[in-house]
Amino acid sequence: MDSAMGQAPGTYAEIEDGTVTPSPEYLLRLARVLRLSEADYEAVHSQLYECAAAQSLAEDVPLLPDPAWQEVIENQSGMAYLSDRRWDVRMCSPAFAGMFPGGRPPKNAMEWMILDESVRDTVLIDWETAWAPFALTQFRAVRLAFPDDAELQRMHERILGDERARRIYEDPSAVQVHRAGEDIRPMRHAMHGVGHVRLFMAQPDNAPGARFVTLRFQKSDGAWT
């Protein structure tokens, strides 16, 4: 279950035995993965938090974050982008666009990370150990939370059809959980060359699965951008 949810080993066991109380966001994702009924989900939510759930289990949840996020992105001096639950890049800062040749960011961040052969071989350094397990753990969790999303299913089929990605995707030991500020991964920046990037992620309240990502790039001389 921890692998399916993209969590550290032991997380589900701690929640199951009452050692840890899950966040409402985790409970929502877990309820979808376990296919709980709306009534059972509401009962568990009320028991844990003593209030009604703010969001239904129904899959017709908003795809796009609030447009007000555009102002947040525009005020970022560094690299930042906002994607929907399918990893389509909806907004990005000029600095983020500058990561890519010609200043053109990819349409879909996940497919760029996982399925673009040139990216795997030249941009995301140590792709098989530093990048693919991290990205595919995220993808697995979101796909299980939204099993009826046709676009996520299409991406799932592409991953299964790609030998390099499939090998890691189907490996139960290849799970990497995001830890804010601790994720420092090697990459080749289009403008700054080889260095390391530090990732920070947050989720907009009104669009489950969407993500606001900021990145700091450390150049080979140690300077951060």
Side-chain angles (χ1 to χ4, degrees):
M1 182 59 70
D2 290 327
S3 176
M5 293 287 291
Q7 300 293 318
T11 300
Y12 181 72
E14 291 179 336
I15 291 172
E16 193 173 33
D17 65 20
T19 304
V20 172
T21 299
S23 67
E25 294 78 14
Y26 179 96
L27 179 64
L28 176 64
R29 289 169 49 212
L30 181 63
R32 285 175 172 158
V33 169
L34 296 177
R35 302 297 180 93
L36 294 185
S37 68
E38 195 74 43
D40 287 342
Y41 168 61
E42 287 285 355
V44 173
H45 193 285
S46 296
Q47 181 180 3
L48 286 175
Y49 312 115
E50 298 183 348
C51 66
Q55 185 176 330
S56 168
L57 281 178
E59 296 297 331
D60 56 344
V61 296
L63 179 65
L64 298 179
D66 191 296
W69 277 91
Q70 182 68 50
E71 183 178 354
V72 176
I73 297 292
E74 289 175 352
N75 284 317
Q76 297 293 314
S77 60
M79 297 182 291
Y81 73 92
L82 187 70
S83 67
D84 59 32
R85 66 171 178 262
R86 298 166 177 167
W87 283 274
D88 284 340
V89 177
R90 297 291 182 167
M91 310 170 190
C92 74
S93 67
F96 178 76
M99 285 177 54
F100 307 95
R104 295 186 298 274
K107 176 182 181 296
N108 186 281
M110 180 59 68
E111 291 185 291
W112 179 83
M113 285 190 290
I114 294 303
L115 296 168
D116 189 315
E117 196 70 34
S118 63
V119 170
R120 297 189 293 199
D121 290 338
T122 62
V123 179
L124 302 183
I125 300 169
D126 297 334
W127 178 83
E128 293 192 357
T129 56
W131 288 95
F134 155 73
L136 289 169
T137 296
Q138 287 195 338
F139 178 81
R140 185 184 298 109
V142 173
R143 178 178 171 268
L144 287 171
F146 298 95
D148 298 323
D149 189 305
E151 185 63 14
L152 291 175
Q153 179 60 30
R154 181 194 66 79
M155 295 167 64
H156 175 71
E157 292 170 358
R158 283 199 68 197
I159 290 169
L160 293 182
D162 182 278
E163 183 178 355
R164 293 177 69 182
R166 185 184 69 247
R167 184 177 69 253
I168 298 169
Y169 187 60
E170 294 181 340
D171 181 355
S173 68
V175 174
Q176 285 187 12
V177 180
H178 172 69
R179 293 179 175 86
E182 298 179 19
D183 275 335
I184 303 177
R185 304 176 190 278
M187 72 169 291
R188 181 175 284 101
H189 192 289
M191 294 176 61
H192 302 304
V194 174
H196 291 80
V197 66
R198 175 175 285 174
L199 305 173
F200 299 84
M201 291 190 290
Q203 179 174 294
D205 291 337
N206 72 318
R211 58 204 62 80
F212 170 59
V213 183
T214 59
L215 309 92
R216 293 199 66 199
F217 185 78
Q218 186 180 35
K219 297 186 286 187
S220 59
D221 63 4
W224 290 90
T225 62

